[in-house]
Amino acid sequence: MEPESGIGSSTSPCQFSLVTLSRNLLLAYQSFGVVYGDLSTSPLYVYSSAFSGKLRNHHNQEAVYGAFSLIFWTLTFVPLIKYVIIVMSADDSGEGGTFALYSLLCRHAKLSLLPNQQAADEELSSYRYGPSSAQAASSSALRRFLEKHKRLRTALLLVVLFGACMLIGDGVLTSAISGKFSFFSAEPLCVLITTSELLLLACIILVGLFALQHCGTHRVAFMFAPIVIIWLLFIFSIGLYNIIYWNPKIVYALSPHYIVKFFRETGKDGWLSLGGILLSITGTEAMFADLGHFTALSIRLAFVFVIYPCLVVQYMGQAAFLSMNLDSFSNSFYASIPEPFFWPVFVVATLAAIVGSQAVITATFSIVKQCHALGCFPRVKVVHTSKHIYGQIYIPEINWILMVLTLAVTIGFQDTTLIGNAYGLACMTVMFITTFLMGLVIVFVWQRNFFLATFFLLFFWLIEGTYLSAALMKVPQGGWLPLALSVIFMLIMYIWHYGTRRKYNYDLHNKVSLKWVLGLGPSLGIVRVPGIGLIYSELTTGVPSIFSHFVTNLPAFHKVLVFVCVKSVPVPYVSPDERFLIGRVCPRPYRMYRCIVRYGYKDIQRDDGDFENLLVQSVAEFIQIHSGSSSKSITLQSLRSMYEDDTPSIRRRQVRFQLPPNPRMDPVVREELMDLIRAKEAGVAYIMGHSYVKARRNSSFIKKLAIDIGYSFLRKNCRGPSVALNIPHISLIEVGMIYYV
């Protein structure tokens, strides 16, 4: 086994652990600039939001003590215990988010709605997680019940999509609330500059933030991390100063007894104020969603040793200040800053608030990539921005859509309280759905006791449900915005998934009869010319219906035909050694093969020019293995000389193959391999169907609306399949076909 990460085989375990620790410490440093900007800037607006509604009638010391106690225990139970200790242990090979949990469930129960899963997928090295499938099969009646009822599986997918859409909406609202609060909450600045000028300044900075995203997570993290670290030092120092100077007895409010007193005194008004209190944990969901950009250990180290103590001390310090200054609730954070330090803190606070939106922007890229890979989002361009951390990506289309929506919210919502209401509802909904999926993971994946999962659900749903109920009361006051954004994104996702599923089912039920293909003979009834024809289809078995269109419309066909199916499997990454799954479609003389190319939902399909060579190599290996030879050695050897294609428009790396001398090789196998070599030398053509999907005439109005308008619009305006699959345009052959689904 080769050593990992370039570490020599002579490296001692102690040296290896030091390298791992230093790597995690570096990632923990970077995580400050990406993951924790949002969570660490919450003290800017939590108290002012909580005491802005009907809680104005309860501006007294007991209410302040109770509010701080609520914040402290909420920070302890949700970010620390639920996410850092429990949820982050359910990572999917280092990936997080709602779709990572969903992919874990799909691997341990047949919950996927797209019927292209194969038994061979379960043999992938990255497929296994926790107990074996045999153990999972006997896990519970609940698993069999979910597998049996398609409506329940559809409902589960809708819940996952809703959570993903809420996180995307969260990305819009985070940027808007960070940009506005950083300027509009500072009273001295509002005196110096007009409101319209502040709004213009916030918009310019937001445009700059989104323009930086193409630099990649690692560069943005190194740029933003010092800002957040300085900010954390400031809020910790100010919080400690306020505790000592204003009211050291605030430490008594750590007791949950003050929560009981708070609700006893404030009643319904206190319950409604929870919509402001929950802003103290906004950004928590980004810790799990951004997991693929870092490591679980690095995010845990940063939170436990830096973020958590700094936030607790800052909230305690603000509470100490407010308990002695009951007229400062509207601008509590800036009012609590000692006057000599106001402007330095204001500058850092402004920069930190801008950085705060980075966490959810980065998480949105990951979520959209996962949705796309699992067939729930139109094709978009995905740019891999790091050679070392594979999950660090950038999606240009999503970045600019987020920017436009953020600017619209920033300009359209003049009242920051309305944005705060919308923001809190979006964050709490994502947490609520994560708790539900985590309960299923505990049962199906971890194979824990059903009662343990029930306890987990009830305990955290009690906390989050209380906050969610208060946030839902704010729907008329801005809370409708994340719901509207989520419905729009959810319609896009579900229509795309529905259309993709219907198209796949059409192919599945209209496959060309193998008897018909065999009846054509090895020549297929047409001229077979030198070369390899790669016929793209979404089917993993059988001959797609579009093949008959090729045979009847093309005057000649290639000597070697390979049916290529590019599919996503519910794992984050597929090893290059396991990517190609080769089979034979017809008997040997037909020279027709099947190649299933498997990608994980975090894999990037790179245009490195090696796809053709790896495919030919895999087919050659398949031919030798299935000829009765016990050797799995690679039959074709690539010549050392690499040469560039003569076509100046595309510079693709080419590899020539040769067959080494082997007197013991079966002549039939040698002939088949020589045909493959000659076909590769003659050239490779990519053959695809230019499909038009339409609803049947007798379909319902809703179905026609979804397929003929929604799905057709998305297909026309997203990236074409040939572009998404990195197919060279000069080698592409397309044949039109209409699907009536």
Side-chain angles (χ1 to χ4, degrees):
M1 183 176 177
E2 295 182 4
E4 296 181 12
S5 305
I7 301 171
S9 56
S10 60
T11 305
S12 67
C14 181
Q15 289 174 308
F16 183 78
S17 62
L18 286 174
V19 171
T20 304
L21 179 60
S22 62
R23 177 174 177 268
N24 278 290
L25 288 175
L26 177 63
L27 289 173
Y29 167 76
Q30 292 181 350
S31 71
F32 288 116
V34 174
V35 178
Y36 292 115
D38 185 11
L39 188 61
S40 65
T41 53
S42 295
L44 283 171
Y45 43 76
V46 170
Y47 282 110
S48 58
S49 298
F51 285 90
S52 63
K54 293 186 177 181
L55 214 59
R56 289 174 180 169
N57 303 323
H58 303 277
H59 284 188
N60 54 63
Q61 196 172 82
E62 291 297 321
V64 172
Y65 276 44
F68 166 68
S69 188
L70 272 169
I71 292 170
F72 170 75
W73 287 106
T74 304
L75 276 172
T76 302
F77 282 127
V78 179
L80 181 62
I81 296 177
K82 178 191 163 185
Y83 275 90
V84 171
I85 296 177
I86 302 175
V87 174
M88 290 182 69
S89 300
D91 66 293
D92 187 8
S93 301
E95 295 301 321
T98 52
F99 264 91
L101 296 176
Y102 181 66
S103 74
L104 281 178
L105 293 171
C106 287
R107 297 217 300 273
H108 289 78
K110 296 176 182 178
L111 302 177
S112 177
L113 294 176
L114 205 61
N116 65 347
Q117 291 179 312
Q118 299 171 284
D121 295 339
E122 298 183 14
E123 298 174 6
L124 291 169
S125 57
S126 57
Y127 198 93
R128 301 296 179 189
Y129 185 103
S132 65
S133 296
Q135 289 173 301
S138 59
S139 60
S140 67
L142 177 61
R143 174 181 174 273
R144 293 188 293 272
F145 181 72
L146 285 174
E147 292 176 348
K148 184 179 178 181
H149 295 83
K150 185 179 178 181
R151 289 185 178 180
L152 290 177
R153 289 185 284 131
T154 303
L156 179 63
L157 176 65
L158 289 174
V159 168
V160 173
L161 290 180
F162 187 65
C165 293
M166 273 292 188
L167 188 60
I168 296 173
D170 192 3
V172 175
L173 296 167
T174 303
S175 305
I177 196 172
S178 299
K180 294 202 77 169
F181 260 110
S182 59
F183 295 105
F184 285 78
S185 58
E187 290 181 359
L189 194 65
C190 295
V191 173
L192 297 173
I193 304 176
T194 64
T195 303
S196 58
E197 289 173 337
L198 283 174
L199 187 61
L200 178 62
L201 184 59
C203 290
I204 291 172
I205 290 176
L206 286 173
V207 171
L209 174 68
F210 283 101
L212 282 174
Q213 297 305 312
H214 76 280
C215 296
T217 307
H218 60 296
R219 292 187 181 91
V220 172
F222 269 112
M223 192 186 308
F224 288 167
I227 296 172
V228 177
I229 291 173
I230 294 171
W231 165 250
L232 289 168
L233 290 174
F234 272 166
I235 63 172
F236 179 83
S237 303
I238 292 168
L240 192 61
Y241 167 82
N242 285 330
I243 293 169
I244 297 171
Y245 183 82
W246 290 107
N247 187 4
K249 293 182 179 179
I250 191 67
V251 294
Y252 295 142
L254 293 174
S255 169
H257 170 67
Y258 285 92
I259 298 177
V260 178
K261 292 179 68 176
F262 174 79
F263 285 114
R264 186 183 299 160
E265 179 188 336
T266 60
K268 184 180 178 181
D269 294 343
W271 169 63
L272 291 174
S273 72
L274 292 178
I277 299 292
L278 70 84
L279 293 177
S280 63
I281 55 172
T282 52
T284 301
E285 69 285 355
M287 285 198 299
F288 187 47
D290 283 334
L291 193 56
H293 294 255
F294 302 95
T295 63
L297 179 58
S298 64
I299 292 177
R300 282 169 167 155
L301 286 172
F303 183 84
V304 172
F305 292 103
V306 181
I307 300 295
Y308 182 74
C310 286
L311 287 178
V312 169
V313 171
Q314 165 55 212
Y315 284 120
M316 187 184 292
Q318 265 196 74
F321 171 80
L322 288 173
S323 66
M324 298 300 175
N325 299 271
L326 298 175
D327 56 344
S328 301
F329 283 96
S330 62
N331 192 28
S332 60
F333 176 78
Y334 286 109
S336 68
I337 301 173
E339 190 172 344
F341 300 98
F342 177 84
W343 287 109
V345 173
F346 169 74
V347 172
V348 176
T350 302
L351 294 173
I354 294 165
V355 174
S357 56
Q358 183 61 46
V360 191
I361 294 173
T362 306
T364 300
F365 294 154
S366 297
I367 288 291
V368 170
K369 174 65 174 73
Q370 294 173 15
C371 291
H372 161 62
L374 295 177
C376 296
F377 203 87
R379 292 178 290 268
V380 290
K381 182 179 182 180
V382 178
V383 180
H384 192 243
T385 60
S386 173
K387 296 180 181 178
H388 308 291
I389 306 297
Y390 211 54
Q392 295 186 358
I393 59 173
Y394 164 67
I395 304 177
E397 296 96 327
I398 299 301
N399 184 59
W400 302 124
I401 289 172
L402 283 178
M403 187 191 76
V404 171
L405 291 173
T406 299
L407 292 176
V409 172
T410 304
I411 296 170
F413 282 73
Q414 297 296 322
D415 188 354
T416 52
T417 303
L418 297 180
I419 303 178
N421 293 339
Y423 184 35
L425 178 59
C427 294
M428 192 49 63
T429 303
V430 175
M431 294 180 191
F432 196 80
I433 291 173
T434 300
T435 300
F436 168 68
L437 294 174
M438 192 63 212
L440 295 178
V441 167
I442 291 173
V443 175
F444 295 152
V445 181
W446 290 357
Q447 301 295 296
R448 300 297 183 186
N449 191 290
F450 179 78
F451 295 103
L452 180 64
T454 304
F455 174 77
F456 173 85
L457 277 175
L458 293 178
F459 180 78
F460 286 105
W461 266 2
L462 177 64
I463 298 172
E464 294 165 354
T466 305
Y467 280 109
L468 185 61
S469 63
L472 286 172
M473 298 301 293
K474 303 290 182 68
V475 168
Q477 292 88 38
W480 58 268
L481 182 59
L483 295 175
L485 289 173
S486 297
V487 167
I488 294 170
F489 279 109
M490 195 170 174
L491 278 174
I492 292 172
M493 289 183 180
Y494 190 74
I495 287 173
W496 182 263
H497 183 76
Y498 177 75
T500 303
R501 198 169 76 241
R502 299 298 298 182
K503 183 174 177 290
Y504 182 87
N505 287 332
Y506 179 92
D507 274 334
L508 194 64
H509 294 103
N510 292 276
K511 291 187 290 188
V512 174
S513 169
L514 193 58
K515 187 182 292 185
W516 179 79
V517 178
L518 294 174
L520 296 175
S523 68
L524 298 178
I526 54 177
V527 179
R528 300 291 291 271
V529 296
I532 297 177
L534 303 182
I535 304 173
Y536 278 78
S537 166
E538 295 177 359
L539 287 181
T540 55
T541 58
V543 179
S545 58
I546 205 165
F547 177 72
S548 61
H549 287 254
F550 294 151
V551 173
T552 55
N553 285 280
L554 297 177
F557 233 153
H558 300 83
K559 181 74 173 179
V560 176
L561 296 177
V562 183
F563 291 93
V564 180
C565 170
V566 179
K567 61 174 282 189
S568 291
V569 289
V571 297
Y573 308 104
V574 175
S575 167
D577 298 334
E578 301 174 310
R579 192 169 310 285
F580 295 95
L581 196 61
I582 307 295
R584 201 185 292 278
V585 176
C586 290
R588 191 188 302 269
Y590 286 75
R591 304 293 192 256
M592 294 172 66
Y593 310 94
R594 180 182 312 285
C595 175
I596 299 173
V597 189
R598 299 177 293 185
Y599 288 97
Y601 59 79
K602 295 292 284 184
D603 275 324
I604 305 294
Q605 298 180 28
R606 298 176 183 273
D607 185 17
D608 53 9
D610 276 342
F611 176 77
E612 296 173 5
N613 305 319
L614 293 172
L615 188 146
V616 171
Q617 197 90 356
S618 301
V619 172
E621 190 174 310
F622 168 82
I623 292 170
Q624 186 184 22
I625 292 173
H626 290 78
S627 66
S629 171
S630 59
S631 172
K632 197 184 175 181
S633 61
I634 298 176
T635 307
L636 300 185
Q637 296 177 348
S638 59
L639 292 176
R640 293 296 177 186
S641 60
M642 300 289 182
Y643 65 94
E644 298 290 337
D645 198 300
D646 294 333
T647 308
S649 59
I650 52 169
R651 308 292 290 177
R652 299 178 65 82
R653 186 171 60 177
Q654 301 292 326
V655 178
R656 285 196 177 99
F657 293 98
Q658 65 178 4
L659 192 62
N662 186 355
R664 293 179 295 178
M665 182 179 290
D666 188 335
V668 177
V669 176
R670 175 175 287 275
E671 181 186 359
E672 187 175 6
L673 290 171
M674 288 304 299
D675 282 346
L676 182 65
I677 294 174
R678 287 191 287 265
K680 175 66 173 67
E681 293 295 328
V684 178
Y686 296 79
I687 305 163
M688 300 188 72
H690 192 81
S691 56
Y692 300 89
V693 182
K694 294 185 176 182
R696 293 194 186 100
R697 292 181 179 178
N698 60 347
S699 300
S700 65
F701 173 76
I702 298 296
K703 184 177 178 180
K704 288 180 179 179
L705 189 67
I707 297 295
D708 294 344
I709 297 178
Y711 186 66
S712 297
F713 175 81
L714 292 175
R715 280 179 64 87
K716 289 176 183 176
N717 290 277
C718 71
R719 303 184 87 212
S722 60
V723 178
L725 295 170
N726 298 316
I727 295 174
H729 184 71
I730 197 170
S731 305
L732 178 63
I733 301 172
E734 289 187 293
V735 177
M737 182 176 177
I738 299 178
Y739 287 77
Y740 288 100
V741 297

